[in-house]
Amino acid sequence: METLLKSLGDEKRCEIIRLVWSRELPAATIAAHFPDVTRSAISQHLGVLRRADLVHERREGPRRLYSANQGELARVRAFVDSFWTSSLEKLKLVAEAAANESGEVQ
Amino acid sequence: METLLKSLGDEKRCEIIRLVWSRELPAATIAAHFPDVTRSAISQHLGVLRRADLVHERREGPRRLYSANQGELARVRAFVDSFWTSSLEKLKLVAEAAANESGEVQ
DNA sequence: TTCTTACGTAAGAATCAACTTACGTATTGT
DNA sequence: ACAATACGTAAGTTGATTCTTACGTAAGAA
């Protein structure tokens, strides 16, 4: 969950997710929406989103088409909701679930 | 909003918010829940949360009592929800679709 | 094959984030 | 007044983030 929230902690990345929310877009089209930074910077933002599984990449010829993974966003929404619904006793379970999914090895 | 999301991008800060979600706690009590880091580190996390207005501070004698600002969390929730519901985004997509149909190349 | 398009990645600079230790400042008790 | 308590803040280190330029690769067109 920390990875997800960190990924959303950048305005450009949030905007990218909105751009590909309901359709696929190639990287160049996404980059064109950000005239103030280079295509490389956007490519790296896409890498962050991809590793957080917040977007899906599909290759079609030389293009890479990106689309939002709404399911991961739904998990973020559930996490934020859990501030209201999680009792103090459930706190440990939430923390453990977050730790498990962040891939810690023991 | 970026400040809010960045503040939530740290597990300890999320846990602090949970701790003071429905009651006030003094800084020392909060710090006691994090035996792996110093009290200073927690004090700095509280500063981040305070500047993001995610917690409220009330002074009582030598103590500083913290409590969650649920209203700011509600703004985060609304922001996440807006990925699904933002009509502005829907309009933007319609406009972009029209632009693509008329043959703009990038 | 060679050029162009569409992309990722490497390397490096500048900035930011999360911590530590050390210190400063109110407040309260003696 | 003096010491103890409860806290924030300064300074410094380390590692992560965000960008740039430069380069590499795969796919398709000429």
Side-chain angles (χ1 to χ4, degrees), chain A residues 7-61:
Chain A
S7 298
L8 295 178
D10 182 281
E11 256 176 27
K12 289 190 186 70
R13 287 197 289 263
C14 283
E15 186 63 28
I16 289 173
I17 291 172
R18 288 188 190 284
L19 286 171
V20 298
W21 185 253
S22 53
R23 61 164 174 179
E24 292 178 313
L25 284 181
T29 304
I30 296 168
H33 280 84
F34 300 93
D36 294 346
V37 294
T38 61
R39 183 189 55 74
S40 172
I42 299 303
S43 179
Q44 288 170 67
H45 279 307
L46 285 169
V48 170
L49 291 172
R50 203 186 323 118
R51 284 186 290 275
D53 200 23
L54 279 165
V55 299
H56 178 245
E57 179 197 289
R58 183 171 70 87
R59 303 195 183 192
E60 191 182 69

Side-chain angles (χ1 to χ4, degrees), chain A residues 1 4 8 21 49 51-55 68-79 101, chain B residues 80 84:
Chain A
M1 183 54 63
L4 281 175
L8 295 178
W21 185 253
L49 291 172
R51 284 186 290 275
D53 200 23
L54 279 165
V55 299
N69 182 351
Q70 299 189 5
E72 286 302 298
L73 256 298
R75 290 187 54 232
V76 173
R77 182 168 61 172
F79 176 80
E101 89 194 24
Chain B
V80 176
W84 280 267

Side-chain angles (χ1 to χ4, degrees), chain B residues 21-60:
Chain B
W21 185 253
S22 52
R23 60 174 170 171
E24 290 179 315
L25 285 180
T29 304
I30 296 168
H33 281 82
F34 299 94
D36 293 346
V37 294
T38 61
R39 183 189 55 75
S40 174
I42 299 305
S43 180
Q44 287 171 66
H45 279 308
L46 286 169
V48 171
L49 292 172
R50 203 186 322 119
R51 282 186 289 276
D53 201 23
L54 279 165
V55 298
H56 179 247
E57 179 197 290
R58 183 172 70 87
R59 302 195 184 193
E60 192 181 68

